[in-house]
Amino acid sequence: MRKENFMKKQKKLIKLSNLLLDSLYELKKARLQQIQTMVDDFSIGCSDVTKNSHLFRTAIEKGWLIGAENIRSRVSRNINDFSYHIQRFKEFINADETVLPKLSDIYAELIQMEQEFGELSFNLSEKTISVTTESITLEDIPLGPFEIKLVIDQISSLYSDAPYRIIALEPNPACSNEDVTHPHVSSERLCEGDGHVAIRSAIEHGRFCDFFTMAVNILQTYNPDSPHISLDDWGGASCYDCGSTVSDDDRYYCDYCDRDYCSSCSSCC
């Protein structure tokens, strides 16, 4: 029976590896499509230059000096934008090519993830793979465990949207906004901060264990410079008069006293 369960698990991991490899193929295709769009835009820009060149020559030959000056002004206004797009196009097209990993590489990533995080949670019908953190406490505020769920079909949208969600399993959201379940998580989306480039690179190259590790590290760290809601305000503000905790929606600020009050005490100020 153990051998049978082991074989079933191996088959699931191989199928999951194939799904992840297919998603990386679609991501690479999406990147090439972006390059194609840039090539098309560059081609249109070159066509506009040629068109303006002919108009400018005709205007000069016919002595339409005002028209020639208008064309010169139009070219002058557009040249900075054109230069910017050329530079961006060069940087994008000359970037290091992302080499797709082998199926065996992705399979090894899944095995490494099991060793790092314990048994993986994956749903082949929904095409998701998840890792669950330990219960997280930041500055004495318990936030509970989080599920980091990677949606495999959304990996191809990496350049426009994060293909994963951060789900609070025992939510203790900020008093003023229940969608903020962590100082760096709002509506199940992680504020990656300085880790954005590294996270995207890990997914691009199929280093899924690195991706989950980085996401967990961000959840276990509090950056007071860029929270959705500061931990100091997690429980809401205190009414200066009665001391009760109030959310932003029920808080009244008195400009004269420079104090916060609840709705019941605000009329007394």
Side-chain angles (χ1 to χ4, degrees), residues 67-90:
E69 182 60 32
N70 288 336
I71 295 171
R72 185 203 64 77
S73 297
R74 183 167 67 241
V75 171
S76 177
R77 288 194 302 270
N78 294 336
I79 195 167
N80 288 334
D81 289 340
F82 190 58
S83 298
Y84 166 77
H85 288 300
I86 289 176
Q87 183 61 34
R88 185 168 175 265
F89 176 57
K90 286 171 59 179

Side-chain angles (χ1 to χ4, degrees), residues 4-16:
E4 182 180 349
N5 290 337
F6 176 78
M7 293 301 295
K8 286 183 178 179
K9 180 179 177 181
Q10 295 298 99
K11 288 181 180 179
K12 284 187 176 181
L13 287 177
I14 292 173
K15 188 171 184 178
L16 181 59

Side-chain angles (χ1 to χ4, degrees), residues 52-72:
N52 285 325
S53 175
H54 291 319
L55 292 174
F56 194 61
R57 179 184 296 277
T58 300
I60 293 175
E61 289 177 350
K62 293 184 177 295
W64 299 337
L65 301 186
I66 295 178
E69 182 60 32
N70 288 336
I71 295 171
R72 185 203 64 77

